Amino acid sequence: MVSKIALVLVFVAVAVGVGVYCRRSTKTVDGFLLGGRKVGPWMSAFAYGTSYFSAVVFVGYAGQFGFKYGIAATWAGIGNAILGSLLAWWVLGPRTREMTHRLGAQTMPEFFGKRYDSKALRIAAAAIIFVFLIPYTASVYNGLSRLFGMAFDLPYDVCVIGMALVTCIYVIVGGYMATVMNDFIQGIVMLLGITAVIVAVVMSNGGFSEAVVQLSQISAEGSSMAGPFVSFFGPDLFNLLGVVVLTSLGTWGLPQMVQKFYAIKSGPAVKQGAIISTIFAFVVAGGSYFLGGFGRLYSGQIEYAANGTPIYDSVIPTMLSTLPDVLIGLVIVLVLSASMSTLSSLVLTSSSTLTIDFIKGNVVKKMNEKQQLVSMRLLLVAFVVISAAIALLQYHSSIVFIAQLMGYSWGALAGAFLGPFLWGLYKKKVSKAAVWCSFAFGVGLTAVNMCMGFAGTPLIASPINCGALCMIVSLVIVPVVSLFTPAKEFPIEPPSAKSESDRAYERMVEAEEADGMPEPGTAEFSEQHGEDIAPKVQEAIDTVKSS
């Protein structure tokens, strides 16, 4: 118990300490939200990966899909690495960094508003993010309850409130830079933890060969396949494919994931980040689903509902309950890392979107930087409190559907945004009508299916498959509708096609960074060069950029 408590206390102290260390980077909106767009490849890659994989994946999805599909569930992790990480970085990374920098967009709704010249689209996107990120945020807490109960015998309320409080402190104080630095540290913990846990669980079942032999002797309900849970594609390939699509392609349209590309340095940093992020996903996601694939070996020990249905959230905790205390402590820190990194990314995205895309210019006509920073911090606290309250409500009541809302949230967000965002980066003529159609279909189908599911007769039985369908339709509906509706041509240049002024500006910025010259307009710049020179330097930079 002492070792477990010590690990958690050290983890919390480091997280808060990083927040205090990064407080100097939060003096401007761009610094608080994007770290000044100067985040390196390692931190960007780890921030992407840790935001991708939360306790929902490690405890919920790995337990559920590993129990259903056996070792074939590892395909979900492979899909997360190849499609959700590598291809996302290659296809979206350079163009997103270049275009959002050119448009001056700090959020996904702001990108839609400036790319399609529509204030209404910007507000609608902000509303969709606000509605569907809160239940996703609440679901992040769910993976903690059983693990903390197993390890510390602590009330779930204490765990949720503690995690919410620590996350609030370091994000409010240190902003995006504190988030990515903590993500880097937490990512290392996740890599070490998942590797150690896999080895320990497999060895506790007699080694890999013996564990596979035991798993091969278990039959699947409704399948005549021999050894279905050690099969290459498992007992239910169609639904497994839906899991791969939702959890992999979904990252392409999620605002909290895409925003990582806004902040990264340009040039080779994107290519380096792609490789690092892919390796991270292979280990963490592939390892989590692979571990869950042995869940059937614990069929007699896990919990079951009154109707005989397995309680999937109990699969992974049951597997871990026999491990040594030090390993259990490492797992607790692993899940805390996964949860807090995702939580910080979600609340930062939500608060910034609501401030920049809804309150600024609409509720409050003129907001200076200081007012925007105050608004984002206050909303950040509000989002954490609301999501924690929803998680506590779900835990202490008979409401069970909140725990399933991650699938609905991903389906609605990525189903609405994937097509407009991807085609908006690469296609010159995309109509506003096409974007509205994607928003309406993604949110509409998800909402209808969710409501019908609560009534007991869903339109599509699996919310996973519903979300995957929304994403695929979004990619098709945008170019098709754009063919038949008026679209204003938008000047799109490939990332490599830079004008001489662009290259001159980049050389100037690189020289400034090499000399350690701070951004004009910041307190550091004024201290070094005086207040009077800052406007002149900024004017010269703007002239070069606009030319």
Side-chain angles (χ1 to χ4, degrees), residues 219-226 228 234-236:
S219 59
E221 301 83 353
S223 174
S224 58
M225 182 186 295
D236 189 355

Side-chain angles (χ1 to χ4, degrees), residues 47-49 51-52 251-252 254-261 345 349:
Y48 185 91
S51 298
Y52 196 166
T251 60
W252 294 45
L254 294 177
Q256 74 274 16
M257 302 300 299
V258 173
Q259 195 167 351
K260 301 298 184 292
F261 301 134
S345 178
T349 300

Side-chain angles (χ1 to χ4, degrees), residues 18-82:
V18 168
V20 174
Y21 175 78
C22 295
R23 67 188 185 280
R24 290 184 299 175
S25 67
T26 64
K27 295 178 181 179
T28 63
V29 171
D30 199 59
F32 183 81
L33 186 57
L34 298 174
R37 299 180 190 260
K38 296 178 181 179
V39 182
W42 280 90
M43 286 192 179
S44 292
F46 272 65
Y48 185 91
T50 53
S51 298
Y52 196 166
F53 310 114
S54 67
V56 179
V57 172
F58 181 72
V59 176
Y61 276 20
Q64 177 178 349
F65 301 126
F67 197 87
K68 284 185 175 181
Y69 309 124
I71 293 179
T74 309
W75 280 107
I78 295 173
N80 293 171
I82 301 298

Side-chain angles (χ1 to χ4, degrees), residues 438-455:
S438 180
F439 282 12
F441 185 85
V443 173
L445 179 59
T446 302
V448 169
N449 193 58
M450 183 169 59
C451 293
M452 293 179 68
F454 296 158

Side-chain angles (χ1 to χ4, degrees), residues 248-525:
S248 302
L249 189 60
T251 60
W252 294 45
L254 294 177
Q256 74 274 16
M257 302 300 299
V258 173
Q259 195 167 351
K260 301 298 184 292
F261 301 134
Y262 292 27
I264 193 172
K265 291 179 179 179
S266 57
V270 177
K271 297 178 182 178
Q272 295 166 9
I275 302 300
I276 298 165
S277 177
T278 303
I279 295 172
F280 183 90
F282 262 120
V283 176
V284 174
S288 295
Y289 286 109
F290 176 77
L291 176 67
F294 292 96
R296 288 275 175 169
L297 297 180
Y298 299 82
S299 297
Q301 303 172 44
I302 66 172
E303 298 178 25
Y304 290 84
N307 61 0
T309 304
I311 298 177
Y312 297 115
D313 287 352
S314 70
V315 174
I316 297 295
T318 300
M319 297 173 72
L320 303 177
S321 61
T322 58
L323 300 181
D325 281 346
V326 174
L327 270 182
I328 291 177
L330 184 60
V331 171
I332 295 300
V333 175
L334 184 160
V335 176
L336 262 178
S337 299
S339 300
M340 288 176 62
S341 57
T342 303
L343 179 63
S344 61
S345 178
L346 291 173
V347 296
L348 191 58
T349 300
S350 300
S351 62
S352 60
T353 296
L354 202 57
T355 297
I356 294 173
D357 301 305
F358 183 74
I359 296 176
K360 180 184 175 183
N362 297 301
V363 178
V364 180
K365 295 299 181 183
K366 292 184 179 180
M367 286 186 82
N368 58 35
E369 290 229 338
K370 185 176 180 180
Q371 291 172 323
Q372 292 177 55
L373 288 170
V374 170
S375 174
M376 282 192 282
R377 286 186 165 104
L378 290 175
L379 285 171
L380 195 150
V381 174
F383 279 117
V384 171
V385 170
I386 292 171
S387 60
I390 294 174
L392 292 173
L393 173 66
Q394 186 268 326
Y395 184 76
H396 290 290
S397 68
S398 57
I399 303 173
V400 296
F401 63 82
I402 295 176
Q404 304 166 359
L405 284 182
M406 177 183 169
Y408 289 117
S409 296
W410 277 47
L413 290 166
F417 297 151
L418 178 56
F421 186 75
L422 180 62
W423 290 112
L425 293 175
Y426 285 94
K427 186 174 171 59
K428 290 183 178 180
K429 287 190 175 183
V430 178
S431 68
K432 295 179 186 178
V435 179
W436 281 115
C437 285
S438 180
F439 282 12
F441 185 85
V443 173
L445 179 59
T446 302
V448 169
N449 193 58
M450 183 169 59
C451 293
M452 293 179 68
F454 296 158
T457 55
L459 191 65
I460 301 175
S462 169
I464 302 291
N465 292 340
C466 179
L469 176 64
C470 288
M471 295 174 200
I472 294 171
V473 171
S474 177
L475 288 173
V476 175
I477 201 172
V478 170
V480 170
V481 174
S482 295
L483 291 175
F484 303 100
T485 53
K488 182 180 178 181
E489 185 168 321
F490 184 84
I492 292 180
E493 300 174 358
S496 58
K498 298 175 182 175
S499 65
E500 183 58 36
S501 62
D502 289 334
R503 288 192 288 270
Y505 173 68
E506 287 188 357
R507 286 195 296 271
M508 182 170 62
V509 171
E510 289 172 359
E512 290 173 355
E513 292 176 352
D515 294 337
M517 179 179 177
E519 287 280 335
T522 61
E524 288 84 358
F525 185 93

